Amino acid sequence: MKVAPSIFHIARLELSFAPKAWTFAAEHRAEIDGYFETLRRAKPELWNGRILLMHHQVIEQGVLRGQYLEADYASFAAWRHWGRPAAGVRDCFSAAAILTADGAFLLAVMGPHTFNAGKIYFPCGTPDPDDLVGDNVDLDLSMRRELREETGLDITGFEPEAGWVMVVEGPLIALIKVLRSTENATTLRERILAHLAREKIPELADIRIVRGAGDINPAVPNFVRAFLTARFAGG
């Protein structure tokens, strides 16, 4: 039986790059390469770049401290496809939850060429080496980059809420930053759609407006559903 995601408030992140070998990737290299080759035939736009996965974490007095290793995207994609089996890592990433002036949240519909085609969730992405500032893993930087790349919106147009909402679902850790806008949902959605129309290969296929729990689509992952349900319930 699946356990419902847990939700915490985190005041601050202290995340560092502490490279080590990912044993899972080495032990399953042949299966991973075969899986990714098949995936690339269906989605040739996928690129086997480098990503960061958390291998150690602890929460102390509202601070999440963690360490990340570097791995290849193919190994990460295979691990996710196989249900994130125990492998000594956590999929810990940041996400931008846009809260509009009229009380709605905006969700992104992933494009058909992406690994998560059809899924509906907040603008986000797996951290990668571009998110390193010295030896620190900057998930705020990652969140800002994904917001801009996916939606065309800049963080300066929002008022971020203090801290992070951490949603934990097994080895998945979503660190959600609520971004308050002075614009209403329809206006913001139209701005994002205009940005997508200018993109040659937009990462997103659409933007959905969620005004209450009844608007949560079945394609919304559990971690987003848990966050939205709690938020609309006043949590």
Side-chain angles (χ1 to χ4, degrees), residues 162-223:
W164 300 80
V165 178
M166 184 172 82
V167 183
V168 180
E169 183 185 8
L172 180 150
I173 301 176
L175 292 161
I176 300 172
K177 174 67 72 172
V178 178
L179 304 177
R180 290 181 170 271
S181 174
T182 58
E183 298 181 85
N184 66 41
T186 301
T187 299
L188 269 178
R189 178 176 183 269
E190 289 175 352
R191 284 181 58 194
I192 297 171
L193 292 179
H195 165 75
L196 298 180
R198 293 190 295 269
E199 294 274 282
K200 184 177 180 181
I201 306 179
E203 191 167 351
L204 307 183
D206 198 2
I207 294 294
R208 300 286 173 83
I209 297 173
V210 179
R211 300 187 184 277
D215 294 331
I216 301 176
N217 188 286
V220 172
N222 286 338
F223 79 91

Side-chain angles (χ1 to χ4, degrees), residues 28-107:
H28 297 276
R29 190 75 266 159
E31 301 99 309
I32 290 168
D33 290 344
Y35 165 76
F36 198 68
E37 182 180 350
T38 300
L39 188 62
R40 282 290 307 275
R41 285 198 291 268
K43 300 178 184 292
E45 294 87 359
L46 292 178
W47 176 59
N48 189 20
R50 308 297 294 176
I51 54 92
L52 302 177
L53 294 172
M54 181 179 279
H55 64 81
H56 175 76
Q57 69 286 324
V58 63
I59 299 175
E60 297 176 332
Q61 297 180 332
V63 179
L64 173 63
R65 296 184 172 90
Q67 296 178 325
Y68 282 76
L69 56 79
E70 183 177 347
D72 63 296
Y73 182 79
S75 296
F76 170 64
W79 176 65
R80 286 185 57 186
H81 179 72
W82 296 332
R84 297 187 178 92
V89 296
R90 296 286 189 105
D91 177 11
C92 183
F93 58 93
S94 54
I98 299 173
L99 177 58
T100 65
D102 49 341
F105 284 96
L106 300 186
L107 298 184

